[in-house]
Amino acid sequence: MKSANTARRADDPRQLVLDTVLALFSERGYFATSVQDISRESGVSVGSLYHHFGDKAGIARALYQTLSDRMSARISWIGAHRKTAHDQCRDIVRTLFDMTESEPLVMDFMLYAKHRDFLPEEKPICSSKPFELARAMVAAGMVSGEIRPMDLNVATSSLFGGPIRIIVSRLDGILQAPLTHYFDEVWDCAWRSVAAR
Amino acid sequence: MKSANTARRADDPRQLVLDTVLALFSERGYFATSVQDISRESGVSVGSLYHHFGDKAGIARALYQTLSDRMSARISWIGAHRKTAHDQCRDIVRTLFDMTESEPLVMDFMLYAKHRDFLPEEKPICSSKPFELARAMVAAGMVSGEIRPMDLNVATSSLFGGPIRIIVSRLDGILQAPLTHYFDEVWDCAWRSVAAR
DNA sequence: GTCTATACGACGATAGAC
DNA sequence: GTCTATCGTCGTATAGAC
């Protein structure tokens, strides 16, 4: 299964390029990465790049789309397999923490893609599909009485704002320990901020 | 007083440039703004720009430094004039909310400057001077018993993470009402997340 | 300190053979 | 679909007069 997947990635030039640019954009930034750089690092020629993605921004768009879909799928799965808003939101935070440790480049790109001057037309992360899914769970929790009645944006921001800041701190190299080490404390704080009692 | 200040800004080419680039960087982004653009909009010649700031990145650095110092001064003032950690942190959040409404460009630049591919060597916002000052107040609150004992990074992130997410939502145009409308609810959630009881 | 004019390089994008 | 070679543009930065 895994080898099939790996082979598929190596054969598919599109996926090969996306894997490459994720690394390049994360370490140098979008504007410091030239199309020639992408061509050289991925082994795909400039002509093919333009054939597949249209223009340079198209590469960034495709990357964002792919990662956004993956994250949405994970959150949807949690929504379907956990009953209470408490459990759903806790598992979302846990998943975000896990992703930060196993794929820091992905988290970094997702958190900051919209604010990095490229992808001008993309909606900010907080109105993106993954965040919308999470917001819906918070709304349900308010209806069920798990979460105190309040503005939905305030509740969602309060619940996930702390965890997100911790993730950013970890990505910035401020926290030395893996995020699992902080999970219980972080989630306890987050849930207290909105819990009904 | 105000006219003197205004005159001073208009006469001082440095300040004139910084006011101009704040607007340009915010609306088009750093890389989409050329040095020629800055020259034209500010009325300062290209030669003078390089004379004063060394290179293009130097302009962004100077802007960040100025705004960071202003914010640090405000937070220091709060630290000196409020006794409890609760009051200090609440007033910090209130000040951040006020700044977001009165100077949205400044808040936008401060929150995202480090992650916008320019200023590569600058430390991330969470290790910057203003954030350090806030962290120290949280630490004091933990010693005094106002805040539950826990990891300092977790406490600071939990306390300010929610408010910061709300600020970002407002800057992104998701929230229609001014932030003062949300302040009480936001602060209530934030404080509950770390309060001793 | 301020200005204009210009050098120089790099970039995104395309053309066109295979 | 893939590739190489090349074009035209625009950017930063500097030179040098005032």
Side-chain angles (χ1 to χ4, degrees):
Chain A
M1 202 64 139
K2 182 161 183 295
S3 64
N5 184 31
T6 306
R8 195 159 172 278
R9 285 171 96 88
D11 285 351
D12 181 10
R14 247 185 94 91
Q15 191 57 50
L16 196 62
V17 170
L18 295 185
D19 289 345
T20 303
V21 294
L22 175 58
L24 289 176
F25 289 173
S26 292
E27 72 186 29
R28 317 178 181 181
Y30 175 83
F31 289 97
T33 303
S34 72
V35 176
Q36 299 263 4
D37 291 337
I38 299 170
S39 171
R40 181 168 4 91
E41 293 291 318
S42 66
V44 176
S45 71
V46 176
S48 288
L49 287 177
Y50 279 91
H51 174 78
H52 283 293
F53 299 100
D55 60 2
K56 185 186 176 185
I59 302 177
R61 264 193 304 273
L63 176 59
Y64 181 75
Q65 195 61 51
T66 300
L67 300 182
S68 178
D69 288 348
R70 258 183 49 197
M71 198 169 280
S72 296
R74 290 209 191 192
I75 295 181
S76 292
W77 190 94
I78 291 172
H81 289 76
R82 295 291 178 269
K83 304 298 180 188
T84 64
H86 171 277
D87 287 3
Q88 288 173 338
C89 293
R90 189 201 52 208
D91 277 17
I92 288 175
V93 172
R94 202 199 305 276
T95 296
L96 294 178
F97 276 24
D98 288 347
M99 286 184 68
T100 304
E101 294 299 330
S102 61
E103 310 174 278
L105 302 184
V106 171
M107 280 304 291
D108 188 82
F109 185 82
M110 289 301 292
L111 282 174
Y112 291 116
K114 306 288 76 45
H115 300 284
R116 260 174 166 164
D117 294 349
F118 54 99
L119 299 191
E121 74 288 351
E122 282 288 344
K123 290 184 297 184
I125 186 71
C126 292
S127 358
S128 66
K129 182 110 177 293
F131 209 85
E132 287 295 340
L133 292 169
R135 196 208 305 272
M137 297 179 193
V138 173
M142 226 177 287
V143 171
S144 76
E146 289 179 80
I147 295 174
R148 287 181 288 127
M150 67 180 88
D151 182 277
L152 182 55
N153 287 304
V154 171
T156 309
S157 296
S158 296
L159 193 48
F160 294 105
I164 289 176
R165 283 240 72 74
I166 283 285
I167 288 172
V168 170
S169 296
R170 175 65 171 155
L171 291 173
D172 285 343
I174 294 169
L175 302 179
Q176 298 79 3
L179 289 182
T180 46
H181 179 259
Y182 301 96
F183 178 78
D184 289 337
E185 234 175 19
V186 170
W187 173 249
D188 181 48
C189 288
W191 186 249
R192 277 173 189 253
S193 70
V194 299
R197 63 132 282 103
Chain B
M1 202 66 136
K2 181 160 185 295
S3 65
N5 185 32
T6 306
R8 193 157 174 275
R9 284 171 95 88
D11 285 352
D12 181 10
R14 249 185 93 91
Q15 192 56 50
L16 195 63
V17 169
L18 295 184
D19 290 344
T20 302
V21 295
L22 175 58
L24 288 176
F25 289 174
S26 293
E27 72 185 30
R28 317 177 180 182
Y30 175 82
F31 288 97
T33 303
S34 72
V35 176
Q36 298 263 4
D37 290 337
I38 299 171
S39 171
R40 181 166 7 89
E41 293 293 318
S42 66
V44 176
S45 73
V46 176
S48 287
L49 288 177
Y50 278 90
H51 175 77
H52 283 293
F53 299 99
D55 60 1
K56 186 185 174 184
I59 303 178
R61 264 193 304 273
L63 176 59
Y64 181 74
Q65 195 61 50
T66 300
L67 299 182
S68 178
D69 287 349
R70 259 183 47 197
M71 199 169 278
S72 295
R74 290 208 193 194
I75 294 180
S76 292
W77 190 94
I78 291 172
H81 290 76
R82 296 289 179 269
K83 303 298 179 188
T84 65
H86 171 278
D87 287 2
Q88 288 172 340
C89 294
R90 189 200 53 208
D91 277 17
I92 287 174
V93 172
R94 202 199 307 275
T95 296
L96 295 178
F97 276 25
D98 288 346
M99 284 184 69
T100 305
E101 294 299 330
S102 61
E103 309 174 279
L105 302 184
V106 171
M107 281 303 292
D108 188 82
F109 185 83
M110 289 301 293
L111 281 175
Y112 291 117
K114 305 288 74 43
H115 300 283
R116 260 175 166 161
D117 294 349
F118 53 99
L119 299 191
E121 75 290 349
E122 281 288 344
K123 289 184 298 185
I125 186 70
C126 291
S127 358
S128 65
K129 182 109 178 292
F131 209 84
E132 287 295 340
L133 292 170
R135 196 208 306 272
M137 297 180 193
V138 173
M142 224 177 288
V143 171
S144 76
E146 289 179 80
I147 295 175
R148 288 181 288 126
M150 67 179 90
D151 182 277
L152 183 55
N153 287 304
V154 173
T156 309
S157 296
S158 297
L159 192 48
F160 294 105
I164 288 175
R165 282 241 74 72
I166 284 285
I167 288 172
V168 170
S169 297
R170 175 66 170 155
L171 291 173
D172 285 343
I174 294 171
L175 302 179
Q176 298 77 5
L179 288 182
T180 46
H181 179 259
Y182 301 96
F183 178 77
D184 289 339
E185 233 174 20
V186 170
W187 173 249
D188 181 48
C189 288
W191 185 248
R192 275 172 189 256
S193 71
V194 299
R197 58 134 286 101

